[in-house]
Each structure stands twice: as C-alpha cells, then as structure tokens.
C-alpha cells in the first residue's frame, strides 16, 4: 500500500505528513510498443496512448510541487527505427502539440525544447518554436521536451560552440560548460525515472545526471499513473543524497 502523497507546498495541517519533493524530475518514457503489442494494437496506437498519458503525468508532478519535468520523447537514435514508426511519431507530435500547448499554457506551464530542431519537418519546427514563445513567461512548472535529443551530441556541440567562441582552456570549468548545454539555466535532475523495467540511461542527460537518483519501474509508460508517481516520489524521499561526501 502506498501512503498518499502530501506536498509540503500544499498542506499546512499540523497532522499532515510531508515528504521531500525533487525540484527536477526527468523521465525516460519506455514501453509504448510493448503496451500496444500486449493489446494486439499497432505500435503507433501505443505511442498515442503514451502521449495521452503525458497530460496526467504533468498534472500529478505539478500537484506534488515538482518545478521542472523533463520528458525523453524522441532520441537521435530513434531515427533508426522503421520509417513508418518514425513518421507516425512525427504525425502524433504534429497532431497534439497545438491543442496540448494551449492547454498547458492556460495552466501556467512553461515549455522548453532540448535537442536539435535540425532534421525535423519545418511545420513541426515552427510549432515547437511557437509553443516556446507562447509559454515563456509561465512559471507554475517548466516542461522540457527532449525531442531529437542525444546527450553525446549535446556535449560535442557544446565543445564546438566553446571553440567557436574562442574560450580559453584555463577558463573552462563545470559552470561555464553547463551554459553551453541544451539545458542551460535548468537545474540538474534530482530524480530520473525509467519505465518498462529497463535500467539504462540510453544517452539521456549524461552530464546532468552525475548525481541524480534513479528509479526504475516495471510499469509501461501508458500505465504510469498517479499511483506510480507517488511510488517514485516516495522512493526518492527515502534516499539520502550525499553528492560524494560523507557526513559526520
């Protein structure tokens, strides 16, 4: 049985049990295809179910008091999937980005993109740029969508930008390097969640995840509901984060 989650940002009751909530949660959303196959549905239907679940997940994390949520939606390696599946993923994004962005905007969610807009169809690029511009002043929760993202590419691109800017080697430190990453201005994730029972990063936030806590669940992404969110947050709350240090 999972104890109901009560955010310290919400309840002032002296009887309320509050838990430590991560400021930034990042999720590797996995299992859409397996979810569909288990129901004798097409993989594209599984991806649509996964996209539909994003709205519920954002609401649950926002209610808990999470300030940043990053979703790994499409990796640079995903271009290697069958063309029909890639086309279906792009089509789903085009179908939902407009209506969903308007809905999130009304709820005060700021949307950011991490990854490259290169290789994306022009209409999808335009939709992403418009969404970022429309929501840039919102402050309830920041939603970072990693689409056409790969961490190794991000790191190499950061190095290239620094070289192009003529940055002296003696000036390079972690703080400066972080300003050249796609996630500049975004805190490193406190908690990284992966669904569908897999236990690897898959080229996701390799630099930023240096001291992140990990939580893996067997739940397939379309089944990652409010109860699963509570389980993940409670697991995080039980961790003692030392960042390489020893206490006492």
């Amino acid at each position: 049985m999972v104890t109901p989650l009560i955010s310290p940002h919400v309840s002032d009751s002296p009887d309320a049990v509050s838990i430590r909530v991560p400021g930034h949660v990042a999720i590797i959303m996995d299992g859409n295809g397996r979810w569909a196959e288990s129901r004798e549905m097409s993989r594209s239907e599984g991806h649509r179910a996964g996209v539909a679940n994003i709205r519920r997940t954002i609401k649950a994390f926002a209610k808990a008091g999470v300030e940043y949520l990053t979703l790994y939606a499409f990796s640079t390696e995903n271009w290697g999937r069958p063309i029909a599946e890639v086309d279906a993923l792009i089509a789903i994004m085009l179908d939902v980005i407009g209506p969903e962005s308007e809905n999130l905007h009304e709820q005060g969610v700021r949307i950011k993109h991490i990854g490259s807009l290169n290789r994306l169809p022009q209409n999808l690029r335009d939709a992403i740029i418009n969404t970022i511009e429309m929501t840039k002043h919102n402050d309830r929760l920041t939603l970072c969508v990693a689409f056409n993202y790969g961490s190794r590419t991000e790191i190499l691109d950061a190095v290239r930008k620094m070289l192009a800017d003529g940055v002296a080697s003696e000036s390079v430190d972690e703080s400066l390097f972080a300003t050249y990453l796609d996630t500049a201005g975004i805190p490193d994730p406190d908690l990284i969640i992966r669904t569908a029972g897999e236990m690897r990063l898959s080229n996701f936030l390799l630099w930023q995840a240096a001291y992140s806590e990990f939580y893996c669940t067997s739940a397939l992404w379309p089944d990652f509901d409010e109860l699963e969110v509570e389980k993940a947050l409670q697991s995080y709350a039980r961790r003692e984060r030392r960042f390489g240090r020893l206490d006492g």
Side-chain angles (χ1 to χ4, degrees):
M1 180 177 179
V2 177
T3 304
L5 176 66
I6 303 176
S7 168
H9 303 286
V10 175
S11 177
D12 294 322
S13 168
D15 298 322
V17 179
S18 63
I19 69 170
R20 181 164 50 91
V21 176
H24 182 179
V25 175
I27 307 178
I28 302 171
M29 305 179 294
D30 200 6
N32 293 338
R34 276 170 277 176
W35 183 90
E37 289 165 3
S38 69
R39 290 163 173 75
E40 297 184 347
M41 300 164 66
S42 69
R43 289 180 63 85
S44 62
E45 289 176 293
H47 291 308
R48 286 195 177 276
V51 169
N53 187 46
I54 290 174
R55 185 189 306 112
R56 175 173 63 181
T57 305
I58 294 171
K59 183 178 179 180
F61 280 113
K63 182 179 179 181
V66 171
E67 297 177 352
Y68 292 84
L69 180 64
T70 297
L71 302 178
Y72 201 11
F74 190 87
S75 74
T76 50
E77 289 75 26
N78 286 157
W79 293 106
R81 292 189 177 189
I83 294 175
E85 183 172 350
V86 172
D87 288 345
L89 284 166
I90 298 293
I92 291 169
M93 277 291 292
L94 285 168
D95 285 346
V96 304
I97 191 169
E100 289 300 327
S101 297
E102 290 283 354
N103 179 48
L104 292 172
H105 179 48
E106 291 174 3
Q107 298 179 53
V109 175
R110 178 176 65 146
I111 301 174
K112 295 181 69 68
H113 171 261
I114 64 173
S116 174
L117 293 177
N118 295 335
R119 200 172 178 179
L120 299 183
Q122 188 61 50
N123 52 354
L124 181 54
R125 289 190 214 180
D126 293 342
I128 291 171
I129 292 169
N130 290 339
T131 294
I132 293 168
E133 182 65 22
M134 176 177 64
T135 64
K136 67 181 181 181
H137 296 302
N138 296 337
D139 58 7
R140 184 184 178 196
L141 176 144
T142 297
L143 174 65
C144 304
V145 180
F147 199 91
N148 194 25
Y149 172 85
S151 191
R152 288 183 172 181
T153 297
E154 175 192 30
I155 290 169
L156 288 173
D157 284 347
V159 173
R160 294 186 184 105
K161 292 173 190 174
M162 293 177 74
L163 292 172
D165 285 349
V167 176
S169 60
E170 61 270 19
S171 300
V172 179
D173 58 17
E174 291 185 12
S175 297
L176 177 63
F177 187 75
T179 66
Y180 281 86
L181 295 172
D182 293 351
T183 53
I186 300 168
D188 291 343
D190 300 295
L191 174 65
I192 295 179
I193 298 169
R194 180 153 191 164
T195 61
E198 303 295 345
M199 302 180 77
R200 59 182 180 274
L201 276 175
S202 296
N203 200 18
F204 182 54
L205 300 178
L206 299 180
W207 174 274
Q208 299 86 341
Y211 281 101
S212 302
E213 298 292 327
F214 289 90
Y215 176 83
C216 298
T217 174
S218 60
L220 303 176
W221 173 247
D223 295 327
F224 189 82
D225 57 13
E226 293 88 344
L227 183 61
E228 291 293 335
V229 169
E230 290 187 9
K231 289 179 181 179
L233 293 178
Q234 289 176 15
S235 174
Y236 173 84
R238 292 191 292 268
R239 314 280 180 89
E240 183 178 353
R241 305 185 73 197
R242 298 185 178 182
F243 301 95
R245 300 184 296 267
L246 288 177
D247 296 331

